[in-house]
Amino acid sequence: MPYTPPLDELRFLLRDVVGFGRVQATGRFAEATDDVAAAALAEAGRLCAEVLEPLRRVGDTQPARLENGVVRTPPGFAEAYGQVARGGWVSVAAPPEHGGMGLPVTLQTAVNDMMSAANLGLHTCILLSQGQIEAIAAHASDALRSVYLPRLISGEWSGTMNLTEPQAGSDVGALTTRAEPNGDGTYAITGRKIYITYGDSDLVDNVVHLVLARLPDAPAGTKGISLFLVPKRLPDESGAAGVANAVSVSGLEHKMGLHGSPTCTMEYDCATGWLVGEEGGGMAAMFTMMNNARLAVGVQGIGVAEGATQAALAWALERRQGRSPLPDGTGAIVDHADVRRMLAAMRAETFAARAIALSCAVAIDMETATGAPEWAARAALLTPIAKAWGTEVGHAVAQEAIQVHGGMGYVEETGVAQFARDVRVAAIYEGTNGIQAMDLVGRKLADGGEALFRLLDEIEAGAEAARGSLPALAAPVWQAAENLREATEWMIDQPLQERYAGAVPFLHATARVLGGHAHLAAALAGGEARRALAGVYIHRLLPAHDGLLAQARAGSEGLYALSPGDLAAA
């Protein structure tokens, strides 16, 4: 089925739910008017529907491949990427002084949402370039910025992130890639990196790698890691891609899904690189790119949820099975209560996750525009939630779309199974969702919960204000926020091990409450359909937060009561 960009929903969320008007009211983003935003989203949506989505299935059935050391992308990908680059969609939020649009991250997030729905396999390349642009702009020297930023922003070159090694996955501190000074300001980078998305491709003239490596005599662990910029081709005197660097691809991963996106094993054999940031500051510099990518990956999940929901609804409107329970029914399966339940939950979950991601983007833009520490704290708090919950929703909704299709969902010819296969990795890469949850209950509650409590104050105030007009929706949201407040107070008093044991259900419960807040705001601002959808979420989905908080407070003792041997015997 064709993809329809959710332009009305995005505009509604920006205007009435997530407070994008505050971003527009700042001097930094005053040019991002309603007209500009609407025009940008409409054009990006057209590109997604007409150019990117028709290639989604092509990327699945004709995967990227490695030929004589060169990665070949699926048919049509290069031409489609060219249209993305020429339209400026790689660089919506990139600095204008280097050729970017300079628009808010919130609009970039909305564009990423649509691109992810249309063609996740191609969007992964764009996502990584966006993160690298931000990292280079924040940490690289002026000389590196002047050469690399214009070409990354234009899409002429693409960017990657090189952290993982065979022995160093989430434990980045265990990496062994070496960086030896060459004596001329450059470094010789030697090592192997795995799981490198778009480590090479025929989409661009040059691929720019940000590589974590150790300098001689660097201390063990993350404190001894530095960040280096290593291009596939060394720039010549004019800055164009020149001679080949000592960088190669030795293999591609054979994956469950996301076949259109090449996942490479990279070999660095005394490759020439440049230091980005300070010696030993590699993780801090890379976290700039990782945080950018974490929000974008959460949005990938949301985009897939949108695509899967649209596919499931189209099927349910056409598929005739059994007798309609409705006197004026169409005879299609959409008339059946359980199918209607699944579709309503899919739409409600997607809306809530999208609201969380856009709220995170608004906080990032407000931090950029004002420098206020309260906005910085909110952006930091919402980032792991947006990443983890967006990808959890993407996975769950994709699975539900298969269920709506029945047996045909399990048959590849419908194409709906691709959504589930493609999105599964999003809960794993850019920091597994368990790591996001531990970040939430660890670093993000290190302020004594101040940032989260401020957010809960807003949720409760909003629910109080809505009691007069929508009491049946407002009361459960207020109570859920109060339950989360009490659980947060408990969590803050626990040692880290106890927090970590309940981190994932705590994050899920927090996301549930944030989703209720968003739906209540939508019900207040929208019409009957918005109120009905809010009712589905608040009465059917929000109650799960209570059980999740009980899990979060169960502690670690019961987990360790079972030894590995007990688990095997069970």
Side-chain angles (χ1 to χ4, degrees):
M1 62 154 288
Y3 166 68
T4 302
L7 297 176
D8 288 343
E9 177 149 305
L10 288 168
R11 286 192 288 261
F12 175 74
L13 277 161
L14 293 177
R15 183 185 65 243
D16 296 314
V17 178
V18 303
F20 183 59
R22 290 174 292 189
V23 176
Q24 296 171 305
T26 66
R28 174 68 177 267
F29 296 117
E31 294 182 4
T33 63
D34 287 345
D35 288 345
V36 168
L41 293 179
E43 179 56 25
R46 183 202 62 77
L47 180 69
C48 290
E50 297 178 7
V51 178
L52 301 188
E53 198 281 333
L55 296 172
R56 180 179 69 86
R57 191 71 175 143
V58 175
D60 192 46
T61 59
Q62 301 181 59
R65 63 195 188 279
L66 183 62
E67 292 182 352
N68 300 318
V70 177
V71 173
R72 306 294 183 191
T73 55
F77 268 41
E79 293 79 6
Y81 175 83
Q83 291 195 47
V84 171
R86 289 192 296 275
W89 302 113
V90 174
S91 50
V92 173
E97 59 267 28
H98 294 287
M101 291 189 189
L103 291 172
V105 168
T106 305
L107 293 182
Q108 178 174 281
T109 299
V111 171
N112 284 343
D113 182 330
M114 294 187 286
M115 286 189 174
S116 299
N119 193 325
L120 190 61
L122 184 57
H123 179 256
T124 55
C125 178
I126 298 162
L127 176 157
L128 286 164
S129 289
Q130 290 172 348
Q132 191 177 100
I133 287 165
E134 185 171 344
I136 291 174
H139 301 287
S141 66
D142 289 341
L144 290 177
R145 289 188 195 120
S146 66
V147 173
Y148 289 91
L149 282 181
R151 292 165 176 84
L152 287 164
I153 288 170
S154 70
E156 179 184 350
W157 297 354
S158 66
T160 74
M161 181 191 309
N162 283 235
L163 291 81
T164 308
E165 298 180 7
Q167 80 295 338
S170 297
D171 182 13
V172 179
L175 67 81
T176 59
T177 298
R178 307 187 313 276
E180 300 280 346
N182 287 326
D184 61 355
T186 67
Y187 296 80
I189 312 299
T190 302
R192 170 178 287 185
K193 298 288 185 177
I194 62 173
Y195 303 153
I196 309 307
T197 300
Y198 275 91
D200 186 49
S201 81
D202 55 5
L203 305 181
V204 292
D205 295 336
N206 204 2
V207 181
V208 183
H209 303 284
L210 284 184
V211 183
L212 291 177
R214 293 188 186 282
L215 289 162
D217 302 321
T222 57
K223 292 182 179 179
I225 297 174
S226 300
L227 182 63
F228 299 87
L229 185 154
V230 186
K232 173 184 174 180
R233 293 187 172 276
L234 298 169
D236 60 21
E237 291 182 358
S238 69
V243 299
N245 202 354
V247 179
S248 62
V249 179
S250 60
L252 295 185
E253 299 296 339
H254 301 282
K255 301 174 295 187
M256 172 183 176
L258 211 58
H259 298 147
S261 172
T263 303
C264 306
T265 298
M266 304 299 303
E267 309 287 348
Y268 297 89
D269 185 11
C270 291
T272 300
W274 287 263
L275 181 68
V276 175
E278 301 295 326
E279 292 185 6
M283 286 304 296
M286 186 64 96
F287 259 111
T288 299
M289 184 173 184
M290 290 172 67
N291 280 328
N292 179 296
R294 284 174 174 175
L295 173 57
V297 167
V299 171
Q300 287 188 329
I302 296 160
V304 170
E306 177 66 44
T309 298
Q310 290 190 21
L313 178 59
W315 176 263
L317 289 169
E318 296 175 1
R319 175 66 167 164
R320 296 182 180 275
Q321 191 86 357
R323 181 183 302 172
S324 174
L326 302 177
D328 57 347
T330 65
I333 63 172
V334 73
D335 292 347
H336 296 288
D338 189 57
V339 174
R340 192 69 66 94
R341 175 193 62 81
M342 288 189 284
L343 292 169
M346 293 163 72
R347 177 53 64 199
E349 292 279 42
T350 303
F351 180 89
R354 182 176 278 138
I356 292 170
L358 289 172
S359 295
C360 181
V362 164
I364 292 170
D365 286 327
M366 292 301 294
E367 176 192 359
T368 299
T370 69
E374 294 82 7
W375 284 115
R378 174 144 319 171
L381 174 73
L382 290 177
T383 295
I385 302 171
K387 190 279 181 184
W389 192 242
T391 57
E392 294 286 350
V393 165
H395 174 63
V397 169
Q399 294 293 334
E400 204 77 298
I402 294 173
Q403 193 72 16
V404 171
H405 279 74
M408 288 303 294
Y410 199 67
V411 176
E412 285 292 347
E413 67 187 72
T414 60
V416 71
Q418 183 186 347
F419 289 116
R421 290 186 287 100
D422 282 358
V423 80
R424 184 62 187 89
V425 71
I428 299 170
Y429 63 17
E430 300 309 334
T432 66
N433 287 357
I435 288 174
Q436 304 304 318
M438 290 190 289
D439 177 48
L440 175 63
V441 301
R443 290 187 184 92
K444 303 307 161 56
L445 293 185
D447 63 352
E450 182 179 344
L452 181 52
F453 290 141
R454 277 200 302 268
L455 187 51
L456 291 174
D457 290 342
E458 291 180 20
I459 294 172
E460 292 185 358
E464 287 288 0
R467 282 187 189 273
S469 54
L470 297 172
L473 298 179
V477 172
W478 187 93
Q479 187 60 56
E482 189 61 21
N483 294 344
L484 179 56
R485 184 187 300 276
E486 293 174 3
T488 304
E489 291 169 349
W490 179 90
M491 190 70 74
I492 290 167
D493 288 339
Q494 306 306 308
L496 276 180
Q497 179 71 347
E498 298 304 296
R499 296 190 199 185
Y500 289 164
V504 167
F506 182 83
L507 184 148
H508 289 182
T510 304
R512 281 265 172 250
V513 175
L514 293 174
H517 176 55
H519 272 288
L520 181 58
L524 287 167
E528 184 177 346
R530 292 290 177 193
R531 289 191 291 275
L533 190 65
V536 168
Y537 187 93
I538 291 171
H539 295 311
R540 296 173 181 269
L541 303 177
L542 179 60
H545 84 279
D546 213 8
L548 290 165
L549 291 177
Q551 293 179 49
R553 299 168 84 157
S556 65
E557 183 177 354
L559 300 177
Y560 290 95
L562 288 168
S563 70
D566 294 330
L567 294 171

